[in-house]
């Protein structure tokens, strides 16, 4: 077949595909077959897998569920899927419109070519008739050449008729697509505007209700520990890593302090991702060496125990200097009253929803744990509680909502065995197991912002999730 016929075959094939798409695919995408757009009363419930998160729950003393607080992500709607389909369909229609324009230009170009060939063919046909009338006067060779050329042009006659039909069909397609695009745009604008306004009002109402509900929640009581999640493997067997519980949501800096003694270097990372990849952003050289692994970052400052002393240091990262230091009266230090694993872990500094704390032991309390609430600016002891739990028998400990939770071991089989409430000045023995995956925990601290336990487990930096039990405050509570 000659080149013009090849072009025609490709164009006709494209036209067939367009016709098939218009007749079969387009109705189902637009919703003209069995699908209809949902009305405002047919909104479906959004499942947790679509972005909703369970924030907290509450029960009364009889175990009945009082409420479940859910924090949704904004701009979620059950009709988002339909809106996305409309947007995708608009894009497809626009792409198809552009393709038809290209096809139209090609068709018009080839159509002009065919018209030109038609004129030539008519002229040849007339000449051929004349030749036949006077063929006796011409040589047989010339006659045969003309006849062959005529035979080549004969297939163009039905193609020309098909081109005329296809040109009309393309014009019709263009008009239908323009109409459909206008209709879809109108539907998208109408539904999108209605959904967004309705969703916005619902989100505002829900946020108000959530804030009111959260105001009624008292501080939580530890019920369960799950995990761990291994974030990274680095450093020696002993160390500490932490984030600031009072930092803003956009501030996710991580601080890393390897070893329990003979070190003054604190490494900073801008995020957990940078911490995992090792993309260090800054290094701080502290003026003093630290003792143990029980440091805490709180409101932009590092609080740590100065080596070979019971002095607490407050160091500002932003200012790069010590803001305060104070001796913790009677507190044992330098492996006098450490946790069971040793490592100069005599003084444990920690923070929770209430504030800054120091956990240690004294001779006056027979080596048992003392809990002191500290002023974060001056490091002055505001109030202390003396417990009956031996410091040397504790594996590690952490504070949640003013309650100290003590583990019975730093090795395998560890569990939260004992708790002491500073609110009621009472204690109880508990049984909350957790998985000590790497068999040796040398740091375990609660972060109130993340509601998670940060741990250093035998050279692995891991996270534990915690489940807290909340009590709903009634109008009669003061």
């Amino acid at each position: 077949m000659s080149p013009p016929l090849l072009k025609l075959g490709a164009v006709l094939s494209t036209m067939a595909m367009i016709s098939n798409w218009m007749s079969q695919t387009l109705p189902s995408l637009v919703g003209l077959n069995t699908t209809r757009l949902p009305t405002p009363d047919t909104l479906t419930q959004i499942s947790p897998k679509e972005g909703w998160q369970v924030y907290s729950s509450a029960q009364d003393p009889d175990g009945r569920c009082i409420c479940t607080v859910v924090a949704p992500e904004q701009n979620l709607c059950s009709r988002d899927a339909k809106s996305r389909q409309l947007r995708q369909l608009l894009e497809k229609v626009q792409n198809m419109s552009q393709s038809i324009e290209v096809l139209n230009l090609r068709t018009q170009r080839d159509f002009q070519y065919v018209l030109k060939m038609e004129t030539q063919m008519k002229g040849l046909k007339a000449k051929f008739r004349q030749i036949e009338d006077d063929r006796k006067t011409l040589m047989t060779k010339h006659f045969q050449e003309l006849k062959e050329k005529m035979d080549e042009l004969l297939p163009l006659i039905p193609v020309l008729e098909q081109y005329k039909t296809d040109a009309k069909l393309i014009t019709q397609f263009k008009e239908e697509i323009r109409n459909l695009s206008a209709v879809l745009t109108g539907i998208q604008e109408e539904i999108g505007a209605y959904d967004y306004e309705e969703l916005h009002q619902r989100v505002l109402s829900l946020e108000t209700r959530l804030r009111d509900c959260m105001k009624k929640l008292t501080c939580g009581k530890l019920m369960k520990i799950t995990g761990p999640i291994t974030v990274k493997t680095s450093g020696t067997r002993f160390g500490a890593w932490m984030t600031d519980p009072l930092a803003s949501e956009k501030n996710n800096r991580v601080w890393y302090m390897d070893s329990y003694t003979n070190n003054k270097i604190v490494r900073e990372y801008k995020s957990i991702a940078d911490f995992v990849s090792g993309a260090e952003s800054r290094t701080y050289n502290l003026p003093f060496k630290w003792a143990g692994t029980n440091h805490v970052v709180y409101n932009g400052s590092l609080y740590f125990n100065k080596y070979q002393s019971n002095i607490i240091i407050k160091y500002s990262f932003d200012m790069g200097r010590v803001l305060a230091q104070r001796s913790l009266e009677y507190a044992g230090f330098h492996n006098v009253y450490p946790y069971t694993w040793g490592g100069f872990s005599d003084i444990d500094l920690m923070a929770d929803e209430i504030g800054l704390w120091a956990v240690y032991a004294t001779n006056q309390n027979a080596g048992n744990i003392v809990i002191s609430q500290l002023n974060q600016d001056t490091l002055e002891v505001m109030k202390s509680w003396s417990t009956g739990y031996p410091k040397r028998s504790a594996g590690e400990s952490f504070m949640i909502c003013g309650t100290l939770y003590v583990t019975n071991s730093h090795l395998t089989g560890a569990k939260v065995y004992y708790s002491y409430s500073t609110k009621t000045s009472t204690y109880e023995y508990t049984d909350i197991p957790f998985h000590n995956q790497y068999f040796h925990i040398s740091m375990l601290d609660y972060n109130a912002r993340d509601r998670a336990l940060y741990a250093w487990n035998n050279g692995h930096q891991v996270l534990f999730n915690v489940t807290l039990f909340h009590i709903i405050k009634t109008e009669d509570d003061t």
Side-chain angles (χ1 to χ4, degrees):
M1 186 180 289
S2 62
L5 294 182
L6 286 174
K7 292 181 180 179
L8 295 178
V11 172
L12 292 176
S13 175
T14 306
M15 290 295 300
M17 289 192 293
I18 294 174
S19 301
N20 182 63
W21 180 85
M22 292 286 288
S23 62
Q24 297 182 14
T25 308
L26 190 57
S28 62
L29 288 174
V30 182
L32 299 179
N33 46 12
T34 58
T35 307
R36 63 184 180 88
L37 294 178
T39 64
D41 297 329
T42 60
L43 289 177
T44 55
Q45 183 178 3
I46 298 176
S47 66
K49 292 183 180 180
E50 293 177 285
W52 291 61
Q53 301 176 3
V54 176
Y55 183 81
S56 181
S57 62
Q59 295 175 331
D60 63 11
D62 297 327
R64 295 174 299 185
C65 183
I66 298 298
C67 71
T68 299
V69 180
V70 232
E73 292 182 2
Q74 295 193 15
N75 298 327
L76 287 178
C77 178
S78 62
R79 282 178 284 182
D80 275 357
K82 184 62 70 179
S83 298
R84 286 196 298 271
Q85 289 180 357
L86 285 172
R87 288 195 299 270
Q88 293 171 359
L89 183 54
L90 276 171
E91 293 175 359
K92 289 182 179 180
V93 169
Q94 292 169 357
N95 292 338
M96 187 60 67
S97 178
Q98 294 174 358
S99 299
I100 288 180
E101 283 294 337
V102 173
L103 181 60
N104 186 37
L105 292 175
R106 291 170 54 188
T107 302
Q108 294 297 329
R109 182 193 62 193
D110 292 342
F111 184 58
Q112 295 299 322
Y113 175 80
V114 171
L115 289 177
K116 181 179 179 181
M117 294 299 296
E118 182 184 27
T119 302
Q120 294 178 1
M121 184 172 60
K122 289 179 179 178
L124 285 173
K125 192 173 183 180
K127 290 182 179 181
F128 187 70
R129 281 196 299 265
Q130 180 181 357
I131 290 172
E132 283 204 334
D133 294 339
D134 199 20
R135 60 181 181 274
K136 294 179 181 181
T137 62
L138 296 174
M139 295 175 62
T140 303
K141 179 180 178 181
H142 293 162
F143 174 80
Q144 187 64 30
E145 289 177 354
L146 287 173
K147 193 173 186 307
E148 289 176 356
K149 289 182 179 180
M150 185 64 188
D151 290 339
E152 289 180 1
L153 292 173
L154 284 176
L156 287 177
I157 295 176
V159 172
L160 176 62
E161 296 300 323
Q162 182 64 45
Y163 250 101
K164 293 178 180 178
T165 303
D166 289 345
K168 294 179 180 179
L169 183 60
I170 288 178
T171 302
Q172 181 183 351
F173 277 169
K174 287 172 62 178
E175 184 63 26
E176 290 180 2
I177 284 181
R178 277 196 294 267
N179 294 338
L180 178 60
S181 179
V183 171
L184 291 176
T185 302
I187 292 174
Q188 184 188 40
E189 291 176 352
E190 180 180 351
I191 291 181
Y194 178 79
D195 279 357
Y196 175 79
E197 192 62 34
E198 180 187 37
L199 178 61
H200 182 64
Q201 293 302 322
R202 291 191 179 193
V203 168
L204 291 179
S205 174
L206 180 57
E207 286 180 346
T208 301
R209 291 165 58 194
L210 286 174
R211 282 192 291 268
D212 292 341
C213 186
M214 290 303 296
K215 290 177 183 178
K216 296 180 180 180
L217 289 178
T218 61
C219 227
K221 178 181 180 181
L222 180 65
M223 300 299 293
K224 185 179 181 181
I225 301 175
T226 54
I229 300 170
T230 302
V231 176
K232 188 176 182 179
T233 301
S234 64
T236 64
R237 294 183 64 193
F238 318 100
W241 72 294
M242 65 214 79
T243 61
D244 189 343
L246 294 186
S248 65
E249 292 183 0
K250 296 182 179 181
N251 182 353
N252 296 302
R253 289 187 294 175
V254 178
W255 290 274
Y256 178 88
M257 302 169 69
D258 191 14
S259 184
Y260 62 86
T261 186
N262 200 32
N263 198 349
K264 299 191 296 181
I265 303 300
V266 180
R267 304 187 187 282
E268 180 182 287
Y269 304 84
K270 289 184 178 180
S271 64
I272 289 286
D274 284 354
F275 173 62
V276 172
S277 65
E280 182 180 314
S281 63
R282 190 172 176 183
T283 299
Y284 301 89
N285 191 353
L286 301 178
F288 311 107
K289 296 179 181 178
W290 65 71
T293 58
N294 307 119
H295 334 293
V296 64
V297 174
Y298 190 71
N299 198 22
S301 293
L302 171 68
Y303 297 82
F304 67 96
N305 177 206
K306 183 180 178 181
Y307 180 56
Q308 290 187 333
S309 74
N310 59 6
I311 296 174
I312 301 172
I313 304 293
K314 177 184 178 180
Y315 178 86
S316 170
F317 286 122
D318 293 336
M319 301 176 69
R321 63 183 180 87
V322 172
L323 298 183
Q325 56 180 311
R326 183 180 294 271
S327 175
L328 194 58
E329 190 175 19
Y330 304 123
F333 61 92
H334 205 60
N335 272 344
V336 174
Y337 294 120
Y339 290 126
T340 53
W341 66 273
F344 306 142
S345 56
D346 304 71
I347 298 175
D348 192 348
L349 300 171
M350 55 188 75
D352 67 355
E353 293 84 349
I354 295 175
L356 185 65
W357 303 86
V359 173
Y360 55 98
T362 65
N363 291 333
Q364 288 77 1
N365 196 36
N368 295 323
I369 289 177
V370 176
I371 307 169
S372 291
Q373 187 175 4
L374 304 179
N375 181 299
Q376 63 170 306
D377 297 321
T378 65
L379 303 180
E380 181 182 1
V381 173
M382 300 165 61
K383 187 176 180 180
S384 292
W385 293 260
S386 295
T387 76
Y389 196 94
K391 179 75 162 50
R392 284 180 168 274
S393 298
E396 268 288 344
S397 68
F398 52 90
M399 295 286 293
I400 298 179
C401 293
T403 296
L404 178 71
Y405 295 94
V406 182
T407 66
N408 67 331
S409 173
H410 65 288
L411 302 174
T412 56
K415 63 182 179 180
V416 176
Y417 179 75
Y418 174 92
S419 68
Y420 186 95
S421 171
T422 59
K423 181 179 180 180
T424 61
S425 298
T426 59
Y427 71 91
E428 64 176 333
Y429 289 96
T430 62
D431 187 6
I432 305 175
F434 60 96
H435 183 41
N436 188 350
Q437 184 172 355
Y438 303 108
F439 314 119
H440 192 289
I441 293 178
S442 60
M443 170 254 176
L444 188 64
D445 273 331
Y446 172 71
N447 186 293
R449 185 186 71 166
D450 301 337
R451 294 200 174 186
L453 294 174
Y454 283 63
W456 189 292
N457 195 336
N458 207 4
H460 302 268
Q461 293 75 51
V462 303
L463 289 172
F464 292 93
N465 291 319
V466 298
T467 300
L468 303 182
F469 174 88
H470 296 276
I471 303 296
I472 298 294
K473 292 185 290 186
T474 64
E475 299 296 333
D476 298 331
D477 292 337
T478 57

